[in-house]
Amino acid sequence: MCQLLGMNCANNTEFNFSFRGFCRRGGDTDIHSHGWGMCTYEGHGLRTFLDSEPAASSKIAAFVGKYPFQTTNMMAHIRYYLEI
């Protein structure tokens, strides 16, 4: 099962603080350590980040968490793989 983080705002907003806290759940404070992804809307297109590493230790997630992105729409997920 995945966990999701979403943001929808009227004005451009930085989401770094919430995203960094969410990433900790991806292998540090929770079991969701099987990858992560994030997509932001920027004007007329999307910016997407995907990684198979746990979000808590991902270099890409660390970059995204420090970079001052501003957007009106953002969706992120952390993955926990269940073999059935």
Side-chain angles (χ1 to χ4, degrees):
M1 298 293 280
C2 294
Q3 289 187 7
L4 302 173
L5 171 68
M7 184 179 79
N8 184 24
C9 302
N11 299 313
N12 280 341
T13 305
E14 285 188 16
F15 58 87
N16 308 67
F17 178 77
S18 298
F19 181 72
R20 285 192 305 265
F22 185 65
C23 284
R24 291 195 62 221
R25 298 183 60 81
D28 186 17
T29 62
D30 205 346
I31 60 175
H32 293 77
S33 61
H34 299 122
W36 67 278
M38 185 194 75
C39 187
T40 64
Y41 175 73
E42 297 186 8
H44 299 289
L46 300 174
R47 184 179 295 209
T48 304
F49 298 91
L50 300 170
D51 196 354
S52 60
E53 295 295 316
S57 60
S58 167
K59 291 180 182 180
I60 298 170
F63 165 76
V64 171
K66 292 178 185 172
Y67 194 84
F69 289 107
Q70 289 195 352
T71 186
T72 56
N73 297 287
M74 182 273 290
M75 177 66 75
H77 82 281
I78 51 177
R79 186 167 184 257
Y80 179 66
Y81 176 73
L82 291 173
E83 189 171 332
I84 298 175

